[in-house]
Amino acid sequence: MDFTPSEEQLAARGLAARIFGDLSTHERLTAAGTGTDAELWKELCAAGLPAAVEDIGLLGLVLLLEEQGRTTAQVPFAATCVYGLLAVAEHGTPEQCERLLPGLRDGTAVATGAFPARGRVHLAQDGALYGAVPWVPWLRDATHVLVADADLALWIVEVSPSGAEARAAGVTVEPVETTAPWSAGRLVLDGVRGERLGNGPEAYAAVLATARTAFAGLQAGVCAGSLARAVHHTVTREQFGRPLSTNQGVLLRAADAHMDTEAIRVTAYEAAWRHDERRACAAQALTAAWWASEAGKRVVHAGQHLHGGTGADLDHPVHRHFLWGRQLDAYLGCGAEVLEELGLLLADSAQGDAS
């Protein structure tokens, strides 16, 4: 395994770090509230970063999402790349790629996914989709949503405007507020006809593994940002005439958080690298997701605790990392759910080898 980024990946990461660092400031995030920073999204698309993901692969996307996570930038970057660009590029027909990818590359189209599937959407005999998904991240910004039916077949559904026109088209989006400000919405499908993508359960499993890997990379960035804020606070804040960072308990807590962050990062890198190398990566994606859930919540809790009383301030920047970390902890399956999936996968693999 070689996780050394290519020149193209390094260039993309450097550009992403600069754009996120310049535009995703505490003041702008506060002004955005729970919505998307449209100007930042426009800047990212103008720089060609979503389009670059097709060339730099999933590992490159993980690197970019780390930079987003450091600043908790409120843009539908991960969702559009995972459920749009990569899903269509890897599982779409040539006609679908030619028609859908240009808009996803330049940002005029925004994709998201109703993942993971929990049997809430059904395909009727007339070929229409019915059901409701309680919350879908970035749905309020989306032009397309990737939905899996009860048989795990994937469907691309166009999201129509709100109101009577949306109800007539069979798609309704109702605003929902989640822990993290991800412009989420409740998706209601009432007789809408979607566009089939890929070959059923195999395509669904592949997209879910890609999503878990990508969002693990996002969690690594969220944790790194939280830890960086905690380090700065404990180094500059004095108690009894010396910096907080000189206390052994603080040092140990920060060291544990650092090791947890590195575990999330390296497992996400491995899963992404194996994906790009066309190697089996299902177990690695689940491993990355488990670390992102279990270790991620430990890190963001530590980041807030190391700020002492300041960490209890809901308006403090570190609290945003806490909210994102807890949202990512449960998204796509919490630690216990993911661990069960991993155990079943390993048991099936061992049984297959024995037979």
Side-chain angles (χ1 to χ4, degrees), residues 111 179 195 227 243 247 252 309 334:
T179 301
E195 180 178 353
L227 184 57
N247 294 318
L252 292 174
C334 66

Side-chain angles (χ1 to χ4, degrees), residues 131 133 167 190 205-206 225 236 240 274 313 320 329 337 348:
V133 182
R167 289 191 292 273
D190 186 17
T236 57
F240 304 119
R274 293 184 69 91
D313 183 357
R320 191 175 290 110
D329 157 34
E337 293 175 298
D348 289 342

Side-chain angles (χ1 to χ4, degrees), residues 11-56:
R13 182 173 67 178
L15 179 59
R18 180 178 63 79
I19 294 174
F20 285 127
D22 289 346
L23 296 183
S24 186
T25 62
H26 176 58
E27 292 73 23
R28 287 177 60 89
L29 289 169
T30 301
T34 61
T36 295
D37 188 333
E39 183 180 342
L40 174 56
W41 177 241
K42 184 177 180 180
E43 185 71 20
L44 291 169
C45 294
L49 286 176
V53 171
E54 291 180 84
D55 297 321
I56 62 178

Side-chain angles (χ1 to χ4, degrees), residues 223-264:
C223 291
S226 174
L227 184 57
R229 291 188 182 279
V231 168
H232 179 267
H233 175 79
T234 56
V235 168
T236 57
R237 180 84 170 183
E238 291 190 357
Q239 187 178 59
F240 304 119
R242 61 176 185 170
L244 289 171
S245 60
T246 59
N247 294 318
Q248 188 178 42
V250 171
L251 290 170
L252 292 174
R253 191 76 185 277
D256 286 342
H258 171 73
M259 295 303 295
D260 273 337
T261 302
E262 289 303 300
I264 301 169

Side-chain angles (χ1 to χ4, degrees), residues 300-344:
V300 296
H301 273 273
Q304 196 163 15
H305 291 166
L306 288 174
H307 277 76
T310 306
D313 183 357
L314 301 185
D315 295 324
H316 194 281
V318 78
H319 186 68
R320 191 175 290 110
H321 290 270
F322 174 78
L323 295 178
W324 277 63
R326 290 313 308 258
Q327 188 75 54
L328 287 164
D329 157 34
Y331 182 51
L332 300 178
C334 66
E337 293 175 298
V338 171
L339 190 60
E340 181 182 14
E341 283 189 53
L342 179 58
L344 292 172

